Amino acid sequence: MTLRQYGGPDGELSAALRYLNQRYTMPNERAKALLTDIGTEELGHLEVIATLVHKLVKDATPEQMRAAGLGSMYADHEKALFYTDANGNPWTAAYIQAKGDPIADLAEDIAAEEKARATYQWLINLTDDPDVIQVLKYLREREVVHSQRFREALCIVEEHYKTKKYF
């Protein structure tokens, strides 16, 4: 189920690509820098998820993979990581959005972070492994911080549009 945050619609790959793409249409350097910083951090989170999934399956037998609902993944990729969601659906660019309107994009980003936060909470609810819980809690808390930072960026961008420009 943790694969959802690897290659799913609300996962780390989708977030990183969304933010690193949207930064180009931000109207000021502060908003661009924020999207660059958070997009880069999301790439780090992708590595955390990859490491977690790898450690969880590296010693599993084919029978254990099948029992865990990963039989199809094993048949296609053995234990190699592949950008899929928890149901085995491959990652698609349809998961990300870039409207080109900074306000719409930042609202999208806030929603993406809140969906990821909720997903991490639900993943925490599904496990009793304290080491997995610790990693998931860290990632959940980073989603909260990102949501807060995007809310700040939204205020900055809205203020940017309210100020008169003299040329």
Side-chain angles (χ1 to χ4, degrees), residues 14 24 31 39 49 64-65 83 89 99 109 115 137 139:
S14 296
Y24 293 103
I49 292 294
Q64 290 170 324
M65 295 286 286
Y83 295 109
N89 299 311
K99 191 67 175 169
D109 300 343
K115 289 186 281 184
K137 280 184 174 181
L139 292 168

Side-chain angles (χ1 to χ4, degrees), residues 44-81:
H45 294 173
L46 185 66
E47 183 178 11
V48 170
I49 292 294
T51 301
L52 180 61
V53 171
H54 171 73
K55 287 184 174 192
L56 289 171
V57 301
K58 71 177 183 169
D59 296 324
T61 65
E63 293 77 23
Q64 290 170 324
M65 295 286 286
R66 187 181 320 108
L70 297 172
S72 295
M73 179 182 143
Y74 183 86
D76 286 341
H77 310 286
E78 209 249 355
K79 295 177 191 168
L81 290 166

Side-chain angles (χ1 to χ4, degrees), residues 8-26:
D10 304 318
E12 304 298 345
L13 177 64
S14 296
L17 295 176
R18 176 185 301 112
Y19 308 150
L20 293 173
N21 190 49
Q22 289 175 348
R23 68 188 169 163
Y24 293 103
T25 56
M26 288 294 127

Side-chain angles (χ1 to χ4, degrees), residues 88-142:
N89 299 311
W91 185 88
T92 173
Y95 290 162
I96 63 174
Q97 186 56 259
K99 191 67 175 169
D101 177 282
I103 293 172
D105 284 347
L106 289 168
E108 164 82 15
D109 300 343
I110 293 165
E113 293 296 323
E114 293 299 333
K115 289 186 281 184
R117 176 200 48 79
T119 301
Y120 279 122
Q121 182 58 55
W122 298 329
L123 289 170
I124 289 166
N125 296 346
L126 290 169
T127 186
D128 59 0
D129 185 315
D131 294 328
V132 172
I133 290 171
Q134 181 180 1
V135 171
L136 296 174
K137 280 184 174 181
Y138 167 78
L139 292 168
R140 180 193 63 197
E141 294 309 312
R142 293 309 301 161

